[in-house]
Amino acid sequence: MNSSNHSKPLTHPVLEQYFPVLSWLRSYSRQDLHGDIIAGIITAILLIPQAIAYAMLADLPPQLGLYASILPPLIYVLLGTSRTMSVGPVSIAAIMIASALTTPEIAELGSPVESAVILAMEGGLILLFMALLRMGGLVNFISHPVLTGFTTGAAILIIFSQLPHLMGIAKPQCELDATCYVQSLSQFNPYTLALGLGSLFILLLFAKGMTPLLKKWSLPSPIIMAVSKSAPLIVVIVTTILATHFDLSENHNVKIIGAIPAGLPTLHFDFVISDKWRLLLPYAGFIALIAYVESVAIAKVTAMMRNQRIDANQELIALGGCNIVSAISGGMSVAGGFSRTMVNYSAGARTQMAMLIAIFILSLAVIFFTDWFALIPKVTLAAIILIAIYPLVKIKNIYHTWSYDRDDGIAELATFLGVLFLGIEQGLMLGILFTIAATLRKTSQPHIAVVGRIPNTDHYRNIKRHQTETWDNLLLIRIDENITFSNIGFIEDFLINELTSHKNLEHIVFILTSVSHIDTTALEALENIKQSLEKQGITLHLAEVKGPVLDKLEQSRFLEQLKPGLVFFSTHEAVDRLTKDLQG
Amino acid sequence: MNSSNHSKPLTHPVLEQYFPVLSWLRSYSRQDLHGDIIAGIITAILLIPQAIAYAMLADLPPQLGLYASILPPLIYVLLGTSRTMSVGPVSIAAIMIASALTTPEIAELGSPVESAVILAMEGGLILLFMALLRMGGLVNFISHPVLTGFTTGAAILIIFSQLPHLMGIAKPQCELDATCYVQSLSQFNPYTLALGLGSLFILLLFAKGMTPLLKKWSLPSPIIMAVSKSAPLIVVIVTTILATHFDLSENHNVKIIGAIPAGLPTLHFDFVISDKWRLLLPYAGFIALIAYVESVAIAKVTAMMRNQRIDANQELIALGGCNIVSAISGGMSVAGGFSRTMVNYSAGARTQMAMLIAIFILSLAVIFFTDWFALIPKVTLAAIILIAIYPLVKIKNIYHTWSYDRDDGIAELATFLGVLFLGIEQGLMLGILFTIAATLRKTSQPHIAVVGRIPNTDHYRNIKRHQTETWDNLLLIRIDENITFSNIGFIEDFLINELTSHKNLEHIVFILTSVSHIDTTALEALENIKQSLEKQGITLHLAEVKGPVLDKLEQSRFLEQLKPGLVFFSTHEAVDRLTKDLQG
């Protein structure tokens, strides 16, 4: 902590806002380094097979995943506000890239590698543009149900996309013909399938059974973690040795990764001149949106646990930068990866130093081991993907959501089915539209209650839910939502309905405890309501008007026009005054 | 009133809901009839020239306006919930029809009359479909500022469309070339212009000077009204006599209406088979939307003044029926007309009987006077349109709206400029999108306040606005909006920010007075918040949870998970309990 006092003058608040790295770097301690080194090594063990696997998932050469794991997380170290998020290739973005690249009009332009790089570049630019407009908040408009429906649907698509790899067959060209699909699957390659099932077995064993076993041996927890998370690396090593030793690729047609250029990525800008930019833009938009929403969600989960802050707008800048750098260094679109981030966090990462260490290890691998990577059987990666993706399938969640909130349930189901049957982007779009429509409908039907006094107190509650005291000449109406064009009609109808059942009214009080905003439409309508009540001999009053609302009403002519109606500080004051008036 | 007791058994509540006519018919009195006859005559005087003028405004033959004024209001008498609204051709719908018919791809299909009839039919079907989905409320999503911006823009377009008629020139084919436009105008027809300016003068005289003059003569007010509202009829008669007497049409090329088929409209269904339906659908949608929104607004204004009710969904059915019948009888799209409705109301109309009388008079005119209508100079109608439309131009309103609420001001200005420069439908669409975006943005930034006790009371207010008492170990946070996916991120950020400035916290209470709904996303986030607070030794409580919210929370696992956090009835109870806990 002393060190921070020394280095404080060296940093600057604005600089620190745009380079959050400075805020942890200046108080970095030896203890932090200890946690970060272990977490970095464990994360690297997971990162290497994931990088290659997610490139394969996107139908791209493995180096696009590897390159996306070097410079982008480095940029995130500089610009990101999360101290533990691991940025790199992620499964959902990968399947979205695959979906974009197989769209006929894009596929026919050729060079999927160039297309993938442009997708990353455009995504990065879109995120930076959104940062410029300070739209970090608007992206909240993907709700959890829509996101869950989306990831469930995408995960199922991913599983289907990996089954052919697992069975060693070419991708079935069947469209929606189930018989054809089953027939394709029946021509499986037994060697490939054996390697695949073996990999799945080892992965499941490590995922389910290893941790309890190691705990029984009372090993130190970082080692338990390192061992249990090394499953993907272990299956890669084992299956690669098996495949190479028995020359399964030559003799039995077991597909392997194939040649990967050795060495660190070099920077390229030749994709800037391409006629694909316009066609790819909408896909890039969807990928960027999902990448951003998922990343912020992940970052928030870990930050909350340590009372750290995520700045949504700075994350737009950071992820935008990561994607642009990924494109320039020849990588695919990147985002924060859920499993890697959780592993990094659980392994004790204190700062992004852990990611720097992971990047260093991965870079060594890219420089020295690419010849070995070339020999990895594709089926092993398919197995790794399947195990990684399976937890994302949460079909039961649709039922849970539905039973709590029907609108959310419908949105989740629509997104899920949309992704499966209409397409990834269409499903997401459907979910977003559903949520907006539901939001609009809800704000147009605000909760309004006639309230009365709970006897012998100064608490006022809904007369339908509580035993309350009311008065013939006074009607207390509590409006529980901002009053705007979308619900003023509903409020008018409610009022007219109440008027028909209260005959001797002299005063109506609108209780505005919950009202933070009254828009122009509502203000005009309130003036009309006031006037037509006046014609019927009823005075309109307001109570519990919040400060900002009162300021705006004062600024308009409304308070002037309300007279002889009054604005009461509390409902109790209104009742006290208006019922005394009646008695006097 | 006695009669209502007799006839009550004859009607049925459900029947009355779908045929609101039954509710006034069974208590109809001689006194009602007196008011209705006078109002009917005055409304008819206004209706005849308007019907012909608005057909001309839509670039259609006059009978499309006349036919739209016969059967549609008759259907409204049966189905409508407003007792005074006058349904028929209206200016805004007319300019929208003109805009649709002059769109190149629609114009090239020929037969504008058929297109106009299909527009009315489709509009009617859309309204009925919306009634089926009970979407009466969703249409509230056109705010007053958008509507005002829209009508102002449309009114200006109408004025420009009538200037050539007023000056007796062909429509300038200039596009956006101002020099060309001025040149065209300079080739005016002096006879036409003289008739036009004369008409304008008489109309303005009646509008501004006649009522005070007649009042000075202390004539009975129905007569004053009849005289002052007969201005359009008078200029039509005077200019028609002048034009016919001097044979201005033959000798000086003053354009007249031309032949109109005599007699009542006959029913046709031949437009049902046409390939225009798909192309016209979006235009029909916009026209129906505006027709509906304007009609309901007008109906509500007059209903409110007499404490009557407008049922938004029944209005969808009524206006849908009116437009379908208009199409079948060869008329154009219809809606409630503001000026006619206000005249009808002010002239003392009690029920739709007034409109029945107006329809009867208009029918007589269509049967017997169409030969005379043929001789009306077009310039007279242009003058009538100009005077009728001018009050709709409310450019200053944009400034007023802006100064009260910037979002509303931007929406109004955008709609206005959009209508003028992008097109009528585009402008409207722009306004609607602006409002939705602003609504979403607002709900994503809810008002949240840290509250404290006003000393020696049990009132709790924002600590930033009032002198309040607070406690080191207890933080009271009032959330003033429904907690949903769109704002839970904002709430989390607010909370994290507060946590950094309160170090000795043991309890946080969320005060939910204003919260009527917590959605799935927010519920999950609240569970996470509760858990991360727990890790920091802070207990989360709720207070003033509304009934429906509490019901749903009980139904989910949340209240179970909240423990040891409690749900307090009032903020005061929470403070009482939690600060005692601290003392004890």
Side-chain angles (χ1 to χ4, degrees):
Chain A
M1 278 294 158
N2 283 338
S3 63
S4 74
N5 289 333
H6 288 289
S7 52
K8 222 170 205 167
L10 289 176
T11 65
H12 187 278
V14 172
L15 210 62
E16 207 169 283
Q17 186 194 333
Y18 290 107
F19 296 97
V21 59
L22 299 172
S23 68
W24 60 262
L25 207 55
R26 68 181 159 82
S27 59
Y28 198 75
S29 69
R30 173 180 289 253
Q31 206 189 345
D32 289 337
L33 185 63
H34 183 75
D36 285 339
I37 287 180
I38 294 170
I41 294 170
I42 295 175
T43 305
I45 291 173
L46 191 65
L47 183 55
I48 296 172
Q50 276 195 351
I52 302 175
Y54 293 157
M56 183 177 94
L57 178 51
D59 283 331
L60 291 169
Q63 63 268 27
L64 271 93
L66 290 168
Y67 296 169
S69 314
I70 299 175
L71 285 185
L74 208 58
I75 293 294
Y76 191 82
V77 170
L78 288 176
L79 301 176
T81 56
S82 164
R83 298 207 178 165
T84 44
M85 186 156 76
S86 163
V87 167
V90 295
S91 58
I92 300 288
I95 190 81
M96 294 180 83
I97 295 170
S99 153
L101 299 186
T102 51
T103 305
E105 76 242 38
I106 289 166
E108 77 187 9
L109 295 175
S111 181
V113 170
E114 191 195 46
S115 300
V117 166
I118 293 175
L119 278 176
M121 190 71 191
E122 286 187 320
L125 292 174
I126 289 169
L127 291 171
L128 285 188
F129 184 68
M130 287 169 67
L132 205 68
L133 299 178
R134 304 200 66 75
M135 279 170 70
L138 255 188
V139 196
N140 282 338
F141 275 86
I142 299 187
S143 68
H144 279 205
V146 168
L147 201 57
T148 309
F150 177 76
T151 48
T152 300
I156 290 176
L157 291 183
I158 290 173
I159 290 171
F160 275 96
S161 79
Q162 296 311 303
L163 285 184
H165 285 298
L166 193 73
M167 310 184 77
I169 54 176
K171 226 168 227 177
Q173 303 293 331
C174 294
E175 311 243 314
L176 284 173
D177 181 350
T179 329
C180 156
Y181 199 85
V182 172
Q183 237 164 23
S184 306
L185 292 188
S186 68
Q187 292 153 6
F188 63 89
N189 178 330
Y191 297 91
T192 306
L193 188 60
L195 277 184
L197 294 178
S199 301
L200 283 178
F201 177 76
I202 296 176
L203 288 166
L204 280 173
L205 190 72
F206 272 72
K208 303 282 175 190
M210 193 56 85
T211 313
L213 190 70
L214 295 177
K215 273 187 183 156
K216 221 183 257 171
W217 297 347
S218 45
L219 288 172
S221 73
I223 294 194
I224 295 181
M225 184 110 198
V227 173
S228 67
K229 296 304 168 191
S230 64
L233 196 66
I234 292 173
V235 294
V236 163
I237 293 173
V238 170
T239 56
T240 306
I241 290 175
L242 282 175
T244 314
H245 182 77
F246 296 107
D247 210 354
L248 295 178
S249 169
E250 279 297 310
N251 300 338
H252 299 289
N253 199 25
V254 170
K255 294 274 184 304
I256 58 170
I257 294 282
I260 303 179
L264 292 173
T266 51
L267 304 189
H268 288 284
F269 295 88
D270 44 0
F271 61 86
V272 170
I273 300 158
S274 167
D275 47 0
K276 292 179 181 173
W277 282 69
R278 202 187 48 75
L279 263 181
L280 287 166
L281 190 65
Y283 296 94
F286 279 110
I287 294 171
L289 190 66
I290 282 293
Y292 173 70
V293 172
E294 293 255 22
S295 302
V296 170
I298 294 163
K300 277 196 172 174
V301 166
T302 52
M304 265 244 164
M305 292 193 274
R306 289 205 188 131
N307 201 12
Q308 293 162 350
R309 292 194 65 168
I310 299 301
D311 176 336
N313 226 57
Q314 179 64 25
E315 286 301 295
L316 281 175
I317 298 174
L319 283 168
C322 292
N323 275 289
I324 290 172
V325 164
S326 186
I328 293 172
S329 61
M332 59 196 280
S333 302
V334 295
F338 185 72
S339 55
R340 287 195 310 272
T341 303
M342 290 314 290
V343 163
N344 194 35
Y345 175 85
S346 318
R350 301 300 188 90
T351 68
Q352 284 284 344
M353 185 64 80
M355 278 308 295
L356 285 181
I357 291 160
I359 296 166
F360 177 71
I361 298 172
L362 188 118
S363 302
L364 291 183
V366 171
I367 297 173
F368 298 112
F369 302 140
T370 45
D371 288 349
W372 299 9
F373 291 166
L375 305 173
I376 302 172
K378 282 188 172 183
V379 59
T380 311
L381 297 175
I384 292 173
I385 292 173
L386 285 178
I387 294 296
I389 227 62
Y390 184 71
L392 292 183
V393 179
K394 293 179 185 162
I395 293 180
K396 241 176 148 181
N397 188 280
I398 298 173
Y399 167 77
H400 286 302
T401 308
W402 189 292
S403 65
Y404 176 72
D405 186 310
R406 236 194 70 194
D407 277 348
D408 278 344
I410 293 174
E412 186 165 341
L413 185 64
T415 313
F416 169 67
L417 295 177
V419 167
L420 282 189
F421 298 111
L422 301 176
I424 292 192
E425 297 81 13
Q426 290 78 355
L428 184 59
M429 202 61 225
L430 195 66
I432 294 175
L433 288 179
F434 253 97
T435 338
I436 290 180
T439 305
L440 295 184
R441 202 170 50 75
K442 257 175 213 147
T443 60
S444 75
Q445 298 172 345
H447 187 253
I448 310 178
V450 172
V451 301
R453 178 163 62 187
I454 295 188
N456 306 318
T457 71
D458 51 0
H459 290 301
Y460 292 82
R461 290 290 186 279
N462 193 339
I463 57 167
K464 289 192 186 150
R465 292 192 159 253
H466 299 267
Q467 284 287 344
T468 58
E469 194 180 345
T470 56
W471 302 267
D472 268 3
N473 308 41
L474 172 63
L475 187 64
L476 302 170
I477 296 178
R478 197 187 64 207
I479 299 166
D480 289 346
E481 189 127 6
N482 291 335
I483 311 181
T484 65
F485 66 96
S486 70
N487 59 28
I488 186 68
F490 186 90
I491 294 170
E492 279 171 358
D493 291 345
F494 182 92
L495 184 64
I496 290 171
N497 209 16
E498 287 298 323
L499 286 179
T500 56
S501 56
H502 292 81
K503 288 301 173 199
N504 302 313
L505 279 180
E506 295 179 30
H507 300 282
I508 290 181
V509 180
F510 280 174
I511 304 170
L512 305 185
T513 338
S514 313
V515 176
S516 313
H517 180 63
I518 299 179
D519 79 353
T520 317
T521 312
L523 194 71
E524 284 171 26
L526 284 178
E527 288 171 9
N528 291 338
I529 288 173
K530 187 257 168 191
Q531 279 162 22
S532 37
L533 287 176
E534 204 166 38
K535 281 188 188 151
Q536 301 170 49
I538 303 171
T539 313
L540 178 69
H541 308 270
L542 305 180
E544 312 209 14
V545 185
K546 274 184 211 157
V549 177
L550 202 59
D551 291 349
K552 284 191 81 178
L553 291 182
E554 258 164 14
Q555 186 191 310
S556 77
R557 307 160 306 165
F558 185 73
L559 290 189
E560 198 55 39
Q561 293 190 328
L562 189 65
K563 286 176 186 170
L566 298 167
V567 178
F568 296 101
F569 180 68
S570 68
T571 310
H572 196 60
E573 195 184 310
V575 169
D576 207 44
R577 172 72 180 278
L578 298 174
T579 51
K580 262 184 198 151
D581 266 2
L582 301 176
Q583 288 156 2
Chain B
M1 278 296 159
N2 282 339
S3 63
S4 73
N5 289 333
H6 288 289
S7 51
K8 223 172 204 166
L10 289 175
T11 65
H12 186 277
V14 172
L15 210 63
E16 209 169 280
Q17 188 195 332
Y18 290 108
F19 296 98
V21 59
L22 298 173
S23 70
W24 58 263
L25 207 56
R26 67 180 160 85
S27 59
Y28 198 74
S29 69
R30 176 180 288 256
Q31 209 191 343
D32 289 338
L33 185 63
H34 182 76
D36 284 339
I37 288 181
I38 293 171
I41 294 171
I42 295 175
T43 305
I45 291 173
L46 191 66
L47 183 55
I48 297 173
Q50 275 195 354
I52 302 175
Y54 293 157
M56 183 177 96
L57 178 51
D59 284 331
L60 292 169
Q63 62 270 28
L64 272 93
L66 290 169
Y67 296 167
S69 314
I70 298 175
L71 285 185
L74 209 57
I75 292 294
Y76 191 82
V77 169
L78 288 177
L79 301 176
T81 55
S82 165
R83 300 209 176 162
T84 43
M85 186 155 76
S86 164
V87 167
V90 296
S91 57
I92 299 289
I95 190 82
M96 293 179 84
I97 295 170
S99 152
L101 299 186
T102 51
T103 306
E105 76 244 34
I106 289 165
E108 76 188 11
L109 296 174
S111 181
V113 170
E114 191 195 45
S115 301
V117 165
I118 293 176
L119 278 176
M121 189 72 193
E122 286 187 319
L125 293 174
I126 289 169
L127 291 172
L128 285 188
F129 183 69
M130 286 170 65
L132 205 68
L133 298 179
R134 305 200 66 75
M135 279 171 66
L138 254 191
V139 196
N140 282 339
F141 273 86
I142 300 187
S143 68
H144 279 205
V146 168
L147 200 58
T148 309
F150 176 76
T151 49
T152 300
I156 290 176
L157 291 183
I158 290 173
I159 290 171
F160 275 96
S161 79
Q162 296 310 303
L163 285 183
H165 285 298
L166 193 73
M167 312 185 79
I169 54 174
K171 226 168 227 178
Q173 303 294 332
C174 291
E175 311 242 315
L176 283 174
D177 181 351
T179 330
C180 155
Y181 198 87
V182 172
Q183 239 165 22
S184 308
L185 292 187
S186 68
Q187 291 153 6
F188 63 90
N189 178 330
Y191 297 90
T192 306
L193 187 59
L195 278 183
L197 293 178
S199 302
L200 283 178
F201 178 75
I202 296 175
L203 288 165
L204 279 174
L205 190 72
F206 272 72
K208 303 282 173 189
M210 192 57 84
T211 314
L213 190 70
L214 295 176
K215 273 190 184 155
K216 220 183 257 170
W217 295 347
S218 44
L219 288 172
S221 74
I223 296 198
I224 295 181
M225 184 109 195
V227 173
S228 67
K229 295 306 170 192
S230 64
L233 195 67
I234 292 173
V235 294
V236 163
I237 293 173
V238 171
T239 56
T240 306
I241 291 174
L242 281 176
T244 314
H245 184 77
F246 297 108
D247 210 354
L248 294 179
S249 169
E250 280 297 311
N251 300 339
H252 298 289
N253 198 26
V254 170
K255 295 275 186 304
I256 58 170
I257 294 282
I260 303 179
L264 291 174
T266 51
L267 304 189
H268 288 284
F269 296 89
D270 45 358
F271 61 85
V272 170
I273 300 157
S274 168
D275 48 358
K276 293 178 180 174
W277 282 69
R278 200 186 50 75
L279 263 180
L280 287 167
L281 190 65
Y283 296 96
F286 278 111
I287 295 171
L289 189 67
I290 282 293
Y292 172 71
V293 172
E294 293 255 21
S295 301
V296 170
I298 294 162
K300 278 198 171 172
V301 167
T302 54
M304 264 242 165
M305 291 194 274
R306 289 206 187 129
N307 201 12
Q308 293 161 351
R309 289 194 67 168
I310 299 301
D311 176 337
N313 227 58
Q314 179 64 25
E315 287 301 294
L316 281 175
I317 298 174
L319 284 168
C322 292
N323 275 290
I324 290 172
V325 163
S326 186
I328 293 171
S329 62
M332 60 198 277
S333 302
V334 296
F338 185 72
S339 57
R340 287 195 311 272
T341 303
M342 290 314 291
V343 163
N344 194 35
Y345 175 85
S346 317
R350 301 300 189 89
T351 69
Q352 284 284 344
M353 185 63 80
M355 279 308 295
L356 285 181
I357 291 159
I359 296 166
F360 177 71
I361 298 173
L362 187 119
S363 302
L364 291 183
V366 171
I367 298 172
F368 298 112
F369 302 140
T370 46
D371 288 350
W372 298 10
F373 290 168
L375 305 172
I376 302 172
K378 283 189 169 181
V379 61
T380 312
L381 298 174
I384 292 173
I385 291 172
L386 286 178
I387 295 297
I389 228 62
Y390 184 71
L392 292 183
V393 179
K394 293 179 185 161
I395 293 181
K396 242 177 148 177
N397 189 280
I398 297 173
Y399 167 77
H400 287 302
T401 307
W402 188 292
S403 66
Y404 174 72
D405 186 310
R406 236 195 70 195
D407 278 347
D408 278 343
I410 293 174
E412 185 165 342
L413 184 65
T415 314
F416 170 68
L417 295 177
V419 166
L420 282 188
F421 298 111
L422 301 177
I424 292 192
E425 296 81 15
Q426 289 79 354
L428 184 58
M429 202 62 225
L430 194 67
I432 294 174
L433 288 179
F434 252 98
T435 339
I436 290 179
T439 305
L440 296 185
R441 201 169 53 74
K442 257 175 215 146
T443 60
S444 75
Q445 298 172 345
H447 187 252
I448 309 178
V450 172
V451 302
R453 177 161 66 186
I454 296 189
N456 306 319
T457 70
D458 52 358
H459 291 301
Y460 292 81
R461 290 290 186 278
N462 193 339
I463 58 167
K464 288 192 187 151
R465 292 190 160 252
H466 299 267
Q467 284 287 343
T468 58
E469 196 180 344
T470 55
W471 303 267
D472 267 3
N473 306 39
L474 172 63
L475 186 63
L476 302 171
I477 297 179
R478 197 186 65 209
I479 299 166
D480 290 347
E481 190 127 4
N482 292 335
I483 310 181
T484 66
F485 67 96
S486 70
N487 59 29
I488 186 68
F490 187 89
I491 294 170
E492 280 172 357
D493 291 345
F494 183 91
L495 184 66
I496 290 171
N497 209 16
E498 286 299 322
L499 285 179
T500 57
S501 56
H502 292 81
K503 288 301 172 198
N504 302 313
L505 279 181
E506 295 179 29
H507 300 282
I508 290 181
V509 179
F510 280 173
I511 304 170
L512 305 185
T513 339
S514 313
V515 176
S516 315
H517 179 64
I518 298 178
D519 78 354
T520 316
T521 312
L523 193 71
E524 285 171 26
L526 284 177
E527 288 171 9
N528 290 339
I529 289 174
K530 187 256 166 188
Q531 278 162 20
S532 38
L533 287 177
E534 205 164 40
K535 282 191 188 149
Q536 300 170 49
I538 303 171
T539 312
L540 178 68
H541 308 270
L542 304 180
E544 313 208 11
V545 185
K546 275 185 211 157
V549 177
L550 202 58
D551 291 350
K552 284 192 81 177
L553 291 182
E554 259 163 14
Q555 187 191 309
S556 77
R557 308 160 304 165
F558 185 74
L559 290 190
E560 199 55 40
Q561 294 192 327
L562 188 64
K563 288 175 185 171
L566 299 167
V567 178
F568 295 101
F569 181 68
S570 68
T571 309
H572 197 59
E573 195 184 309
V575 168
D576 208 42
R577 173 73 179 277
L578 298 174
T579 51
K580 261 184 200 153
D581 267 0
L582 301 177
Q583 288 156 5

